[in-house]
């Protein structure tokens, strides 16, 4: 029964992947774009943008953080992690806009104290980190995976191990019976 289920799932996967490939190849248009754009910040067709962000052709992320009346000494971006050494020159809260789209799971904090900062989404989708008046230090913004993601990874790994080990185990049991 297990083998039959596995074979049905594999057959369904192959059929659906084949159908998708044939449909895509029949309907796809080849477009060559020779504009000089910074590839990591290219918006493409906006498919990964949050639903409440208006897509526009010039909706590119800035390469550097942006803030009014804020001194930014250093800035480092590696994948989905940003570290900015900055000083808020205002006496009240100020917003440091950083070149990452704000999704659930991001957090911003001071690297020395661990104090958290609130974040907001700007009109173009970039993230604004709200820094208190007179703040000086290193701000880190990074993505922290939800606990359930890790649980699902463990479940997936257990299922893969089961599918790899089960056929050999059942063959050994059949040999013992003979």
């Amino acid at each position: 029964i297990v083998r039959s289920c596995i074979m049905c799932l594999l057959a369904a996967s192959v059929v659906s992947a084949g159908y998708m490939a044939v449909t895509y190849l029949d309907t796809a248009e080849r477009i060559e774009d020779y504009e000089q754009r910074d590839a990591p910040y290219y918006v493409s067709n906006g498919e990964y943008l949050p639903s409440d962000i208006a897509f526009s052709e010039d909706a590119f992320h800035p390469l550097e953080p942006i803030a009014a009346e804020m001194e930014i000494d250093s800035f480092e971006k590696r994948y989905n992690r940003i570290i900015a050494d900055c000083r808020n020159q205002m006496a009240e809260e100020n917003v440091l806009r950083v070149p990452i789209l704000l999704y659930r799971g991001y957090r911003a904090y001071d690297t020395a104290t661990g104090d958290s900062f609130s974040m907001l989404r700007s009109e173009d989708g970039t993230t604004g980190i709200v820094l208190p008046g007179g703040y000086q230090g290193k701000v880190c913004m990074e993505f922290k995976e939800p606990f359930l993601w890790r649980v699902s990874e463990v479940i997936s790994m257990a299922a893969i191990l089961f599918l790899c080990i089960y056929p050999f185990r059942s063959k050994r049991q059949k040999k013992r019976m003979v």
Side-chain angles (χ1 to χ4, degrees):
I1 294 176
V2 173
R3 284 188 183 157
S4 300
C5 290
I6 291 172
M7 294 305 287
C8 287
L9 284 172
L10 286 174
S13 297
V14 168
V15 168
S16 67
Y19 176 76
M20 185 193 78
V22 168
T23 303
Y24 177 75
L25 292 173
D26 285 345
T27 60
E29 286 183 38
R30 183 178 174 154
I31 300 173
E32 295 182 15
D33 187 3
Y34 296 106
E35 291 183 38
Q36 295 296 320
R37 295 187 179 183
D38 191 7
Y41 301 102
Y42 182 56
V43 175
S44 185
N45 290 322
E47 56 272 353
Y48 65 91
L49 291 174
S51 60
D52 59 340
I53 300 299
F55 172 74
S56 65
E57 187 59 32
D58 61 345
F60 294 94
H61 303 272
L63 298 175
E64 301 272 331
I66 302 168
E69 297 196 39
M70 191 171 299
E71 188 177 306
I72 301 168
D73 295 327
S74 66
F75 171 72
E76 176 187 346
K77 180 179 182 205
R78 293 186 137 246
Y79 306 108
N80 290 335
R81 183 175 192 211
I82 287 181
I83 298 177
D85 190 2
C86 58
R87 183 168 62 93
N88 183 3
Q89 298 171 340
M90 296 173 61
E92 62 268 355
E93 287 182 340
N94 197 357
V95 176
L96 173 68
R97 283 183 47 206
V98 293
I100 282 188
L101 289 170
L102 181 59
Y103 289 103
R104 194 176 359 181
Y106 275 102
R107 62 189 188 108
Y109 59 92
D110 182 279
T111 58
T113 64
D115 293 339
S116 293
F117 300 116
S118 59
M119 296 180 293
L120 51 92
R121 187 181 304 158
S122 65
E123 60 278 351
D124 64 352
T126 57
T127 301
I129 302 172
V130 181
L131 300 176
Y135 172 79
Q136 181 172 358
K138 284 191 177 186
V139 177
C140 179
M141 180 185 158
E142 62 186 351
F143 184 78
K144 177 72 174 146
E145 300 86 6
F147 175 72
L148 289 178
W149 282 19
R150 296 295 172 215
V151 171
S152 65
E153 288 172 352
V154 169
I155 291 170
S156 296
M157 185 58 86
I160 290 170
L161 286 173
F162 174 78
L163 291 174
C164 291
I165 294 171
Y166 183 79
F168 298 111
R169 185 169 175 228
S170 63
K171 285 180 183 178
R172 251 192 288 151
Q173 286 178 350
K174 285 180 183 177
K175 287 181 181 178
R176 286 183 193 165
M177 293 178 151
V178 175

